[in-house]
Amino acid sequence: MYASHRDACILSKYASDLTSRLNTFYEAEGLADCVIAYRKLGKGNYHFSFDAYRFACANQPCIVLCFDITEFFNNLKHDLLKERLKRLLGVQELPEDWYKTFRYVTHHTSVSLQDLKNNPIFGPRLKSRSLAPITTVAEAKKAGIIFGTNPNAYGIPQGTPISSALSNLYMMDVDKTMQSACISQRAMYQRYSDDIIIICPLSAEDGLKMKLMEAIEVHGLEIKDEKTERSVFDTANPTTFQYLGFNVSPAGSCIRPSSLAKRWRRMRRAIDQIGEIGANAIAEGSATRIFTKGLRRRFSPIGGRNFSSYARRSAEVFGDRNIVRQVLRLERKADEAIRELNK
C-alpha cells in the first residue's frame, strides 16, 4: 500500500526522526551491527552476507539458522507498537503529531488498485504517462470507489515511508534479547527486516532457537518450521546456506540461481519490448535501426550501477571468482540477444 504524495512527505519527516532515535538506541545497546535493514550503513547486501560467511568460517564447525517471520508487516500489534514508540520518545502519552502519524498508519484507509483499473475514467489515467493525479478522494468517492479501512488491532501497510522504521521499532526488544543471548553463547545474531540469521556453536542451537521463538511469540508473530533453514557449516562436510541473495558454503559463495533466473527474465522482457518498439518505428519510417544503448547500460558491464557492477562488487568483497563467472554468462546472453535485434 502506498501513501499519497502529500502524506508521504509528512511520513518521511517522521520516519527520519524515528530512524535517528533508533540509531541512537542501537548504538547504546550494541545493536548497530545487528539490525541492517532500512538503515544507511554505507554497505550492500554482499557486505552483510560476507560478514556471516566470515563469522561462520572463523567458528566452524557451527550451526547456521535462517528464519523468516510469516506475514511480518501484516501482524504487527498496534498496542505493542504504540508502547515501543512512547518508550523511544520518552513520553507517557504520544504528542498529538506523533499520535496522528501513528493512527494514520495503523488505521489506514485505502483503495484497491484493481478497482481503479476497472473504472472507465481512472483505468486509462493509470496507463497514461501524464504526471497529473489519477483522481482526488472526492472524485473517487463520487465514482463509487470503495474506501476500505483496517478493522484489526494489528497490521500496517508495507509501502509507506515510515513502515520500515516502524517495523524496526517493533522488533527492538527482540533484537536486544537475542543479541544478549547470542553474545553469551559466542554466537552471531543479525536481522534484515523479517529475515533473521543466527550462527552459533552446535551446543547452543536448541537454547537460542527456543529463546527466539519465545520472543517472537510474545510479539504476536510466527516463524514456521518449514521456512526455517538449518545448515552445518564445516569444511569437512560442506553444506550451503542462503542469505541475502547469496548461497554461502565453506567451499565458496555465489549469487543464488533463482536471482540470476529472475534477472534473465527481466532482461528478456526489456529486450523484447525494445525490439517491438524499434520494429514498429522502422516500419513507420521514423527510425532506421533499433537503438540499444539503453539496454547495454542496464545489462552489460559498460553501464553504471547495474546488476553487473553489483555482482563484481560482490565478487570483490567475497574474493570469489565464481560470482564473476556467473555474471559473465548472463552478460554473454544479454549481448547475444541485443545483437539479434539489429540483424
Side-chain angles (χ1 to χ4, degrees):
M1 296 182 180
Y2 305 98
S4 68
H5 290 310
R6 183 177 62 177
D7 290 343
C9 289
I10 298 171
L11 294 178
S12 294
K13 187 271 182 191
Y14 286 92
S16 177
D17 291 352
L18 182 56
T19 298
S20 178
R21 292 173 182 271
L22 280 170
N23 286 336
T24 301
F25 169 79
Y26 293 146
E27 291 290 343
E29 299 294 338
L31 296 171
D33 295 327
C34 301
V35 183
I36 58 175
Y38 315 125
R39 300 173 62 211
K40 295 180 180 179
L41 300 175
K43 294 182 177 181
N45 285 0
Y46 44 85
H47 288 110
F48 303 122
S49 187
F50 176 70
D51 288 343
Y53 167 71
R54 181 170 53 185
F55 185 91
C57 286
N59 293 276
Q60 59 180 310
C62 58
I63 297 294
V64 181
L65 299 169
C66 298
F67 305 92
D68 182 7
I69 302 175
T70 303
E71 295 289 327
F72 182 43
F73 286 86
N74 292 339
N75 289 301
L76 303 187
K77 297 173 68 175
H78 297 167
D79 57 343
L80 288 182
L81 190 61
K82 187 176 182 181
E83 186 276 328
R84 304 288 185 274
L85 181 57
K86 290 192 291 186
R87 192 200 314 169
L88 194 68
L89 296 176
V91 297
Q92 293 296 319
E93 294 296 333
L94 292 178
E96 184 180 3
D97 58 334
W98 274 105
Y99 176 74
K100 287 185 175 180
T101 303
F102 171 80
R103 187 168 179 80
Y104 176 93
V105 179
T106 54
H107 296 277
H108 54 270
T109 301
S110 60
V111 297
S112 166
L113 176 62
Q114 194 59 49
D115 286 349
L116 295 177
K117 287 181 177 179
N118 294 339
N119 186 276
I121 299 174
F122 309 137
R125 291 181 187 175
L126 280 167
K127 296 178 181 179
S128 171
R129 294 187 178 183
S130 170
L131 297 180
I134 298 166
T135 176
T136 63
V137 171
E139 188 182 10
K141 286 184 176 179
K142 186 177 180 180
I145 299 296
I146 297 174
F147 282 70
T149 57
N150 180 21
N152 304 313
Y154 55 86
I156 65 172
Q158 188 170 347
T160 77
I162 202 172
S163 298
S164 55
L166 288 175
S167 70
N168 277 344
L169 172 72
Y170 192 84
M171 293 291 286
M172 59 192 294
D173 285 359
V174 175
D175 295 329
K176 184 177 178 180
T177 296
M178 292 311 303
Q179 172 67 345
S180 176
C182 285
I183 288 177
S184 68
Q185 297 291 337
R186 294 182 294 112
M188 173 185 173
Y189 168 81
Q190 200 170 78
R191 181 178 63 82
Y192 189 98
S193 188
D194 54 356
D195 291 327
I196 295 173
I197 187 171
I198 293 175
I199 304 175
C200 63
L202 278 65
S203 59
E205 176 186 1
D206 292 340
L208 290 176
K209 185 176 181 180
M210 184 180 299
K211 192 82 170 178
L212 176 63
M213 293 302 179
E214 290 173 352
I216 289 295
E217 185 177 356
V218 167
H219 285 68
L221 300 172
E222 181 184 11
I223 293 176
K224 294 184 177 179
D225 287 338
E226 59 266 27
K227 298 195 72 175
T228 298
E229 296 184 12
R230 177 187 184 274
S231 303
V232 179
F233 197 92
D234 185 1
T235 303
N237 184 26
T239 57
T240 300
F241 69 89
Q242 299 180 2
Y243 188 49
L244 301 181
F246 294 88
N247 284 352
V248 182
S249 78
S253 305
C254 64
I255 298 173
R256 291 175 58 181
S258 59
S259 298
L260 292 170
K262 181 179 179 180
R263 187 65 185 176
W264 165 248
R265 289 193 297 270
R266 184 179 299 173
M267 181 175 68
R268 188 70 260 184
R269 283 197 300 268
I271 292 172
D272 290 344
Q273 184 179 27
I274 293 297
E276 182 179 352
I277 293 172
N280 290 336
I282 292 172
E284 293 170 358
S286 59
T288 58
R289 63 187 182 89
I290 298 175
F291 294 95
T292 58
K293 187 176 180 180
L295 287 173
R296 292 197 178 279
R297 277 201 302 267
R298 290 178 62 186
F299 302 116
S300 71
I302 65 172
R305 298 184 68 83
N306 57 18
F307 185 78
S308 291
S309 63
Y310 170 83
R312 282 170 168 75
R313 291 196 301 273
S314 304
E316 184 177 352
V317 169
F318 276 99
D320 197 322
R321 290 288 300 175
N322 284 335
I323 298 175
V324 175
R325 284 191 283 269
Q326 284 182 298
V327 76
L328 281 174
R329 288 194 292 269
L330 193 66
E331 289 167 356
R332 282 195 292 268
K333 288 182 179 179
D335 183 63
E336 291 170 2
I338 291 172
R339 286 176 183 274
E340 285 293 324
L341 289 180
N342 281 311
K343 279 192 177 179

